[in-house]
Amino acid sequence: MKIAENVYGYRTAIANIAYIAGLGETKEEWVLIDTGVPFSAPFILKNSKKLFKDGSVNL
C-alpha cells in the first residue's frame, strides 16, 4: 500500500514492513526499513517484486 510519495507499506499478520523508494541517481533504488518477524522473508520478497521492477535485493 502506498503511504506517501515514495513510502510504501505491507501488513503481515503480526508486523508491518516499510519501504522507502525513489533513491539514488536514477531514483530507482529502494530500501527496506522494517523486516517483519522471523520467517517472513517469502512475504517480503513477494511484495518487493510487486512494488519494484525486478524486486531485486542486494545484500
Short mmCIF file of all heavy atoms in Angstrom, two decimals:
data_model
loop_
_atom_site.label_atom_id
_atom_site.label_comp_id
_atom_site.label_asym_id
_atom_site.label_seq_id
_atom_site.Cartn_x
_atom_site.Cartn_y
_atom_site.Cartn_z
N MET A 1 0.84 -1.17 0.00
CA MET A 1 0.00 0.00 0.00
C MET A 1 0.89 1.24 0.00
O MET A 1 1.94 1.24 0.64
CB MET A 1 -0.94 -0.03 1.18
CG MET A 1 -0.45 0.68 2.42
SD MET A 1 -1.58 0.60 3.80
CE MET A 1 -0.73 -0.68 4.70
N LYS A 2 0.48 2.24 -0.71
CA LYS A 2 1.23 3.49 -0.74
C LYS A 2 0.81 4.33 0.45
O LYS A 2 -0.37 4.60 0.66
CB LYS A 2 0.97 4.22 -2.05
CG LYS A 2 1.84 5.44 -2.22
CD LYS A 2 1.72 6.02 -3.61
CE LYS A 2 2.71 7.16 -3.76
NZ LYS A 2 2.73 7.67 -5.13
N ILE A 3 1.79 4.76 1.23
CA ILE A 3 1.52 5.56 2.41
C ILE A 3 1.69 7.04 2.11
O ILE A 3 0.88 7.86 2.51
CB ILE A 3 2.45 5.14 3.57
CG1 ILE A 3 2.18 3.68 3.93
CG2 ILE A 3 2.29 6.04 4.77
CD1 ILE A 3 3.18 3.06 4.86
N ALA A 4 2.75 7.37 1.39
CA ALA A 4 3.05 8.74 0.97
C ALA A 4 3.94 8.62 -0.26
O ALA A 4 4.29 7.52 -0.68
CB ALA A 4 3.77 9.50 2.08
N GLU A 5 4.31 9.74 -0.85
CA GLU A 5 5.17 9.68 -2.02
C GLU A 5 6.47 8.97 -1.66
O GLU A 5 7.15 9.32 -0.70
CB GLU A 5 5.49 11.09 -2.53
CG GLU A 5 6.28 11.07 -3.81
CD GLU A 5 6.45 12.43 -4.42
OE1 GLU A 5 5.78 13.39 -3.99
OE2 GLU A 5 7.26 12.54 -5.35
N ASN A 6 6.76 7.90 -2.40
CA ASN A 6 7.96 7.09 -2.22
C ASN A 6 8.02 6.33 -0.90
O ASN A 6 9.07 5.85 -0.50
CB ASN A 6 9.24 7.91 -2.39
CG ASN A 6 9.39 8.43 -3.81
OD1 ASN A 6 8.98 7.78 -4.75
ND2 ASN A 6 9.95 9.60 -3.95
N VAL A 7 6.91 6.19 -0.21
CA VAL A 7 6.85 5.41 1.04
C VAL A 7 5.74 4.37 0.88
O VAL A 7 4.59 4.71 0.61
CB VAL A 7 6.57 6.31 2.26
CG1 VAL A 7 6.49 5.47 3.54
CG2 VAL A 7 7.61 7.40 2.39
N TYR A 8 6.12 3.11 1.05
CA TYR A 8 5.18 2.01 0.86
C TYR A 8 5.18 1.12 2.08
O TYR A 8 6.18 1.01 2.78
CB TYR A 8 5.56 1.19 -0.37
CG TYR A 8 5.54 2.00 -1.63
CD1 TYR A 8 6.66 2.70 -2.05
CD2 TYR A 8 4.39 2.09 -2.40
CE1 TYR A 8 6.65 3.46 -3.20
CE2 TYR A 8 4.36 2.85 -3.55
CZ TYR A 8 5.50 3.53 -3.95
OH TYR A 8 5.48 4.30 -5.07
N GLY A 9 4.07 0.47 2.33
CA GLY A 9 3.97 -0.43 3.47
C GLY A 9 3.26 -1.71 3.09
O GLY A 9 2.52 -1.78 2.11
N TYR A 10 3.52 -2.73 3.87
CA TYR A 10 2.89 -4.03 3.68
C TYR A 10 2.60 -4.59 5.07
O TYR A 10 3.48 -4.62 5.93
CB TYR A 10 3.83 -4.95 2.90
CG TYR A 10 3.31 -6.35 2.71
CD1 TYR A 10 2.26 -6.61 1.85
CD2 TYR A 10 3.89 -7.41 3.39
CE1 TYR A 10 1.78 -7.90 1.67
CE2 TYR A 10 3.42 -8.71 3.21
CZ TYR A 10 2.37 -8.94 2.35
OH TYR A 10 1.90 -10.22 2.17
N ARG A 11 1.39 -4.99 5.30
CA ARG A 11 0.99 -5.50 6.61
C ARG A 11 0.96 -7.02 6.59
O ARG A 11 0.30 -7.63 5.76
CB ARG A 11 -0.38 -4.96 7.00
CG ARG A 11 -0.86 -5.49 8.34
CD ARG A 11 -2.09 -4.80 8.79
NE ARG A 11 -1.65 -3.47 9.24
CZ ARG A 11 -2.48 -2.52 9.61
NH1 ARG A 11 -3.77 -2.71 9.58
NH2 ARG A 11 -2.00 -1.37 10.02
N THR A 12 1.67 -7.62 7.52
CA THR A 12 1.59 -9.07 7.72
C THR A 12 0.64 -9.31 8.89
O THR A 12 0.09 -8.36 9.45
CB THR A 12 2.98 -9.67 8.02
OG1 THR A 12 3.42 -9.20 9.30
CG2 THR A 12 4.00 -9.31 6.96
N ALA A 13 0.49 -10.54 9.27
CA ALA A 13 -0.41 -10.85 10.38
C ALA A 13 0.06 -10.25 11.69
O ALA A 13 -0.74 -9.92 12.56
CB ALA A 13 -0.56 -12.36 10.53
N ILE A 14 1.38 -10.08 11.84
CA ILE A 14 1.93 -9.63 13.12
C ILE A 14 2.63 -8.28 13.01
O ILE A 14 2.53 -7.45 13.91
CB ILE A 14 2.91 -10.67 13.68
CG1 ILE A 14 2.17 -11.99 13.92
CG2 ILE A 14 3.58 -10.19 14.95
CD1 ILE A 14 3.06 -13.15 14.29
N ALA A 15 3.36 -8.04 11.95
CA ALA A 15 4.20 -6.85 11.85
C ALA A 15 3.94 -6.09 10.55
O ALA A 15 3.33 -6.62 9.63
CB ALA A 15 5.67 -7.24 11.92
N ASN A 16 4.42 -4.89 10.50
CA ASN A 16 4.36 -4.08 9.29
C ASN A 16 5.74 -4.02 8.66
O ASN A 16 6.76 -4.05 9.36
CB ASN A 16 3.89 -2.66 9.60
CG ASN A 16 2.46 -2.65 10.07
OD1 ASN A 16 1.61 -3.34 9.55
ND2 ASN A 16 2.19 -1.86 11.09
N ILE A 17 5.78 -3.94 7.35
CA ILE A 17 7.01 -3.83 6.60
C ILE A 17 6.94 -2.51 5.84
O ILE A 17 5.91 -2.18 5.27
CB ILE A 17 7.15 -5.00 5.62
CG1 ILE A 17 7.16 -6.31 6.41
CG2 ILE A 17 8.39 -4.86 4.77
CD1 ILE A 17 6.85 -7.51 5.56
N ALA A 18 8.03 -1.74 5.85
CA ALA A 18 8.03 -0.44 5.19
C ALA A 18 9.19 -0.34 4.20
O ALA A 18 10.25 -0.91 4.42
CB ALA A 18 8.13 0.67 6.22
N TYR A 19 8.94 0.38 3.12
CA TYR A 19 9.95 0.62 2.09
C TYR A 19 10.02 2.12 1.81
O TYR A 19 9.00 2.80 1.81
CB TYR A 19 9.55 -0.02 0.76
CG TYR A 19 9.28 -1.49 0.79
CD1 TYR A 19 8.00 -1.98 1.05
CD2 TYR A 19 10.29 -2.40 0.51
CE1 TYR A 19 7.75 -3.34 1.03
CE2 TYR A 19 10.04 -3.76 0.49
CZ TYR A 19 8.77 -4.22 0.75
OH TYR A 19 8.51 -5.57 0.73
N ILE A 20 11.22 2.59 1.54
CA ILE A 20 11.41 3.95 1.03
C ILE A 20 11.97 3.78 -0.38
O ILE A 20 12.98 3.10 -0.58
CB ILE A 20 12.40 4.76 1.88
CG1 ILE A 20 11.98 4.80 3.34
CG2 ILE A 20 12.58 6.17 1.31
CD1 ILE A 20 10.69 5.52 3.62
N ALA A 21 11.32 4.38 -1.35
CA ALA A 21 11.71 4.24 -2.76
C ALA A 21 12.15 5.59 -3.32
O ALA A 21 12.11 6.60 -2.64
CB ALA A 21 10.54 3.69 -3.56
N GLY A 22 12.55 5.57 -4.60
CA GLY A 22 12.94 6.80 -5.27
C GLY A 22 14.31 7.30 -4.87
O GLY A 22 14.57 8.50 -4.91
N LEU A 23 15.19 6.38 -4.49
CA LEU A 23 16.52 6.77 -4.04
C LEU A 23 17.55 6.59 -5.15
O LEU A 23 17.29 5.93 -6.14
CB LEU A 23 16.91 5.92 -2.82
CG LEU A 23 15.94 5.95 -1.65
CD1 LEU A 23 16.37 4.95 -0.59
CD2 LEU A 23 15.85 7.34 -1.07
N GLY A 24 18.72 7.17 -4.96
CA GLY A 24 19.81 7.03 -5.91
C GLY A 24 19.71 8.02 -7.06
O GLY A 24 18.73 8.75 -7.20
N GLU A 25 20.74 8.01 -7.89
CA GLU A 25 20.80 8.95 -9.01
C GLU A 25 19.65 8.75 -9.99
O GLU A 25 19.13 9.71 -10.55
CB GLU A 25 22.14 8.80 -9.74
CG GLU A 25 23.31 9.31 -8.94
CD GLU A 25 24.62 9.19 -9.69
OE1 GLU A 25 24.60 9.16 -10.94
OE2 GLU A 25 25.67 9.14 -9.03
N THR A 26 19.27 7.50 -10.22
CA THR A 26 18.21 7.22 -11.18
C THR A 26 16.83 7.16 -10.54
O THR A 26 15.84 6.92 -11.21
CB THR A 26 18.47 5.89 -11.90
OG1 THR A 26 18.45 4.83 -10.93
CG2 THR A 26 19.79 5.90 -12.63
N LYS A 27 16.78 7.34 -9.23
CA LYS A 27 15.52 7.29 -8.45
C LYS A 27 14.85 5.92 -8.51
O LYS A 27 13.65 5.79 -8.28
CB LYS A 27 14.53 8.37 -8.94
CG LYS A 27 15.08 9.76 -8.93
CD LYS A 27 15.34 10.26 -7.54
CE LYS A 27 15.78 11.71 -7.56
NZ LYS A 27 16.53 12.08 -6.42
N GLU A 28 15.63 4.87 -8.84
CA GLU A 28 15.08 3.52 -8.93
C GLU A 28 15.51 2.63 -7.77
O GLU A 28 15.11 1.48 -7.70
CB GLU A 28 15.49 2.88 -10.26
CG GLU A 28 14.86 3.56 -11.45
CD GLU A 28 15.20 2.88 -12.76
OE1 GLU A 28 15.79 1.78 -12.74
OE2 GLU A 28 14.87 3.45 -13.80
N GLU A 29 16.29 3.16 -6.87
CA GLU A 29 16.73 2.36 -5.73
C GLU A 29 15.73 2.48 -4.59
O GLU A 29 14.99 3.46 -4.50
CB GLU A 29 18.12 2.82 -5.27
CG GLU A 29 19.18 2.59 -6.32
CD GLU A 29 20.54 3.10 -5.91
OE1 GLU A 29 20.77 3.29 -4.70
OE2 GLU A 29 21.36 3.32 -6.80
N TRP A 30 15.71 1.48 -3.73
CA TRP A 30 14.80 1.48 -2.58
C TRP A 30 15.48 0.78 -1.42
O TRP A 30 16.46 0.08 -1.58
CB TRP A 30 13.48 0.80 -2.94
CG TRP A 30 13.62 -0.60 -3.48
CD1 TRP A 30 13.83 -0.95 -4.78
CD2 TRP A 30 13.57 -1.81 -2.73
NE1 TRP A 30 13.91 -2.31 -4.89
CE2 TRP A 30 13.75 -2.88 -3.65
CE3 TRP A 30 13.39 -2.12 -1.39
CZ2 TRP A 30 13.75 -4.20 -3.26
CZ3 TRP A 30 13.39 -3.45 -1.00
CH2 TRP A 30 13.56 -4.47 -1.94
N VAL A 31 14.94 1.01 -0.25
CA VAL A 31 15.48 0.39 0.96
C VAL A 31 14.33 -0.18 1.79
O VAL A 31 13.25 0.40 1.86
CB VAL A 31 16.32 1.40 1.77
CG1 VAL A 31 15.49 2.53 2.30
CG2 VAL A 31 17.06 0.72 2.89
N LEU A 32 14.58 -1.32 2.39
CA LEU A 32 13.63 -1.97 3.29
C LEU A 32 13.89 -1.44 4.69
O LEU A 32 15.01 -1.50 5.18
CB LEU A 32 13.84 -3.48 3.23
CG LEU A 32 13.00 -4.34 4.15
CD1 LEU A 32 11.53 -4.24 3.78
CD2 LEU A 32 13.48 -5.78 4.07
N ILE A 33 12.86 -0.91 5.33
CA ILE A 33 13.02 -0.29 6.64
C ILE A 33 12.74 -1.28 7.77
O ILE A 33 13.48 -1.36 8.72
CB ILE A 33 12.08 0.94 6.79
CG1 ILE A 33 12.39 1.97 5.72
CG2 ILE A 33 12.18 1.53 8.18
CD1 ILE A 33 13.78 2.55 5.79
N ASP A 34 11.67 -2.02 7.70
CA ASP A 34 11.29 -2.95 8.77
C ASP A 34 11.10 -4.32 8.15
O ASP A 34 10.33 -4.47 7.21
CB ASP A 34 10.02 -2.46 9.43
CG ASP A 34 9.63 -3.29 10.65
OD1 ASP A 34 10.25 -4.36 10.87
OD2 ASP A 34 8.72 -2.88 11.37
N THR A 35 11.77 -5.31 8.69
CA THR A 35 11.75 -6.62 8.06
C THR A 35 10.73 -7.60 8.64
O THR A 35 10.75 -8.78 8.31
CB THR A 35 13.14 -7.27 8.15
OG1 THR A 35 13.51 -7.35 9.52
CG2 THR A 35 14.14 -6.45 7.38
N GLY A 36 9.85 -7.14 9.46
CA GLY A 36 8.82 -8.04 9.98
C GLY A 36 9.34 -8.97 11.05
O GLY A 36 10.14 -8.58 11.90
N VAL A 37 8.91 -10.20 11.02
CA VAL A 37 9.25 -11.19 12.04
C VAL A 37 9.98 -12.36 11.38
O VAL A 37 9.99 -12.49 10.16
CB VAL A 37 7.98 -11.69 12.75
CG1 VAL A 37 7.32 -10.56 13.52
CG2 VAL A 37 7.01 -12.28 11.77
N PRO A 38 10.59 -13.25 12.17
CA PRO A 38 11.27 -14.41 11.58
C PRO A 38 10.34 -15.18 10.64
O PRO A 38 9.13 -15.28 10.87
CB PRO A 38 11.64 -15.26 12.80
CG PRO A 38 11.76 -14.27 13.92
CD PRO A 38 10.70 -13.24 13.64
N PHE A 39 10.93 -15.69 9.58
CA PHE A 39 10.25 -16.49 8.56
C PHE A 39 9.31 -15.68 7.67
O PHE A 39 8.49 -16.24 6.96
CB PHE A 39 9.49 -17.67 9.19
CG PHE A 39 10.35 -18.51 10.08
CD1 PHE A 39 10.19 -18.47 11.45
CD2 PHE A 39 11.34 -19.31 9.55
CE1 PHE A 39 11.00 -19.23 12.29
CE2 PHE A 39 12.16 -20.07 10.37
CZ PHE A 39 11.99 -20.03 11.75
N SER A 40 9.42 -14.35 7.69
CA SER A 40 8.58 -13.53 6.82
C SER A 40 9.25 -13.20 5.49
O SER A 40 8.67 -12.49 4.68
CB SER A 40 8.16 -12.24 7.55
OG SER A 40 9.29 -11.47 7.89
N ALA A 41 10.44 -13.74 5.24
CA ALA A 41 11.17 -13.45 4.00
C ALA A 41 10.35 -13.73 2.74
O ALA A 41 10.34 -12.90 1.82
CB ALA A 41 12.49 -14.21 3.97
N PRO A 42 9.63 -14.86 2.62
CA PRO A 42 8.86 -15.09 1.40
C PRO A 42 7.81 -13.99 1.14
O PRO A 42 7.61 -13.59 0.00
CB PRO A 42 8.18 -16.44 1.64
CG PRO A 42 9.06 -17.12 2.64
CD PRO A 42 9.58 -16.02 3.52
N PHE A 43 7.17 -13.51 2.18
CA PHE A 43 6.18 -12.44 2.03
C PHE A 43 6.85 -11.13 1.61
O PHE A 43 6.33 -10.41 0.77
CB PHE A 43 5.41 -12.23 3.34
CG PHE A 43 4.66 -13.44 3.79
CD1 PHE A 43 5.12 -14.19 4.86
CD2 PHE A 43 3.49 -13.83 3.16
CE1 PHE A 43 4.45 -15.31 5.29
CE2 PHE A 43 2.80 -14.95 3.58
CZ PHE A 43 3.28 -15.70 4.64
N ILE A 44 8.01 -10.84 2.20
CA ILE A 44 8.73 -9.62 1.87
C ILE A 44 9.19 -9.65 0.42
O ILE A 44 9.01 -8.68 -0.32
CB ILE A 44 9.93 -9.42 2.82
CG1 ILE A 44 9.42 -9.17 4.25
CG2 ILE A 44 10.82 -8.29 2.35
CD1 ILE A 44 10.50 -9.23 5.30
N LEU A 45 9.76 -10.76 -0.02
CA LEU A 45 10.22 -10.88 -1.40
C LEU A 45 9.07 -10.77 -2.40
O LEU A 45 9.18 -10.10 -3.42
CB LEU A 45 10.99 -12.18 -1.60
CG LEU A 45 12.34 -12.24 -0.89
CD1 LEU A 45 12.90 -13.65 -0.95
CD2 LEU A 45 13.30 -11.24 -1.50
N LYS A 46 7.97 -11.43 -2.10
CA LYS A 46 6.80 -11.38 -2.99
C LYS A 46 6.29 -9.95 -3.12
O LYS A 46 6.01 -9.46 -4.22
CB LYS A 46 5.69 -12.30 -2.46
CG LYS A 46 4.47 -12.34 -3.32
CD LYS A 46 3.43 -13.29 -2.72
CE LYS A 46 2.16 -13.29 -3.54
NZ LYS A 46 1.14 -14.17 -2.97
N ASN A 47 6.20 -9.25 -2.01
CA ASN A 47 5.71 -7.88 -2.02
C ASN A 47 6.70 -6.95 -2.73
O ASN A 47 6.30 -6.06 -3.47
CB ASN A 47 5.46 -7.39 -0.59
CG ASN A 47 4.73 -6.09 -0.56
OD1 ASN A 47 3.65 -5.95 -1.12
ND2 ASN A 47 5.33 -5.09 0.06
N SER A 48 7.99 -7.17 -2.52
CA SER A 48 9.02 -6.36 -3.17
C SER A 48 8.93 -6.49 -4.69
O SER A 48 9.07 -5.51 -5.42
CB SER A 48 10.41 -6.78 -2.70
OG SER A 48 10.54 -6.58 -1.33
N LYS A 49 8.71 -7.70 -5.16
CA LYS A 49 8.59 -7.93 -6.61
C LYS A 49 7.37 -7.23 -7.19
O LYS A 49 7.38 -6.79 -8.32
CB LYS A 49 8.55 -9.42 -6.90
CG LYS A 49 9.89 -10.07 -6.69
CD LYS A 49 9.83 -11.56 -6.92
CE LYS A 49 11.18 -12.19 -6.63
NZ LYS A 49 11.15 -13.64 -6.78
N LYS A 50 6.31 -7.13 -6.41
CA LYS A 50 5.11 -6.41 -6.87
C LYS A 50 5.35 -4.90 -6.93
O LYS A 50 4.90 -4.23 -7.83
CB LYS A 50 3.94 -6.68 -5.93
CG LYS A 50 3.33 -8.03 -6.06
CD LYS A 50 2.15 -8.15 -5.12
CE LYS A 50 1.52 -9.51 -5.15
NZ LYS A 50 0.43 -9.63 -4.19
N LEU A 51 6.04 -4.37 -5.93
CA LEU A 51 6.25 -2.92 -5.83
C LEU A 51 7.32 -2.39 -6.77
O LEU A 51 7.18 -1.28 -7.31
CB LEU A 51 6.65 -2.54 -4.41
CG LEU A 51 5.57 -2.55 -3.36
CD1 LEU A 51 6.17 -2.32 -1.98
CD2 LEU A 51 4.54 -1.49 -3.66
N PHE A 52 8.39 -3.15 -6.96
CA PHE A 52 9.54 -2.65 -7.69
C PHE A 52 9.82 -3.51 -8.90
O PHE A 52 9.50 -4.69 -8.90
CB PHE A 52 10.75 -2.57 -6.76
CG PHE A 52 10.45 -1.83 -5.49
CD1 PHE A 52 10.33 -2.48 -4.29
CD2 PHE A 52 10.23 -0.47 -5.52
CE1 PHE A 52 10.02 -1.80 -3.13
CE2 PHE A 52 9.91 0.23 -4.36
CZ PHE A 52 9.81 -0.44 -3.16
N LYS A 53 10.41 -2.94 -9.92
CA LYS A 53 10.61 -3.58 -11.22
C LYS A 53 10.97 -5.05 -11.13
O LYS A 53 10.26 -5.90 -11.62
CB LYS A 53 11.68 -2.85 -12.02
CG LYS A 53 11.24 -1.51 -12.52
CD LYS A 53 12.32 -0.87 -13.32
CE LYS A 53 11.90 0.49 -13.79
NZ LYS A 53 12.97 1.17 -14.52
N ASP A 54 12.11 -5.35 -10.55
CA ASP A 54 12.54 -6.73 -10.51
C ASP A 54 12.55 -7.30 -9.10
O ASP A 54 12.84 -8.47 -8.91
CB ASP A 54 13.92 -6.90 -11.15
CG ASP A 54 15.00 -6.10 -10.44
OD1 ASP A 54 14.69 -5.45 -9.43
OD2 ASP A 54 16.14 -6.13 -10.90
N GLY A 55 12.26 -6.49 -8.11
CA GLY A 55 12.24 -6.96 -6.73
C GLY A 55 13.59 -7.38 -6.22
O GLY A 55 13.68 -8.04 -5.20
N SER A 56 14.63 -7.01 -6.93
CA SER A 56 15.97 -7.47 -6.54
C SER A 56 16.36 -6.95 -5.18
O SER A 56 16.03 -5.85 -4.79
CB SER A 56 17.00 -7.05 -7.58
OG SER A 56 17.08 -5.65 -7.66
N VAL A 57 17.06 -7.79 -4.46
CA VAL A 57 17.54 -7.45 -3.13
C VAL A 57 19.05 -7.68 -3.13
O VAL A 57 19.50 -8.78 -3.40
CB VAL A 57 16.85 -8.32 -2.06
CG1 VAL A 57 17.43 -8.00 -0.69
CG2 VAL A 57 15.36 -8.12 -2.08
N ASN A 58 19.81 -6.66 -2.86
CA ASN A 58 21.27 -6.77 -2.78
C ASN A 58 21.70 -6.73 -1.32
O ASN A 58 21.39 -5.80 -0.62
CB ASN A 58 21.94 -5.62 -3.54
CG ASN A 58 21.60 -5.66 -5.00
OD1 ASN A 58 21.62 -6.71 -5.61
ND2 ASN A 58 21.30 -4.51 -5.57
N LEU A 59 22.38 -7.77 -0.90
CA LEU A 59 22.84 -7.84 0.49
C LEU A 59 24.32 -7.58 0.56
O LEU A 59 25.05 -7.83 -0.31
CB LEU A 59 22.52 -9.22 1.08
CG LEU A 59 21.06 -9.61 1.08
CD1 LEU A 59 20.91 -11.03 1.57
CD2 LEU A 59 20.26 -8.67 1.96
#
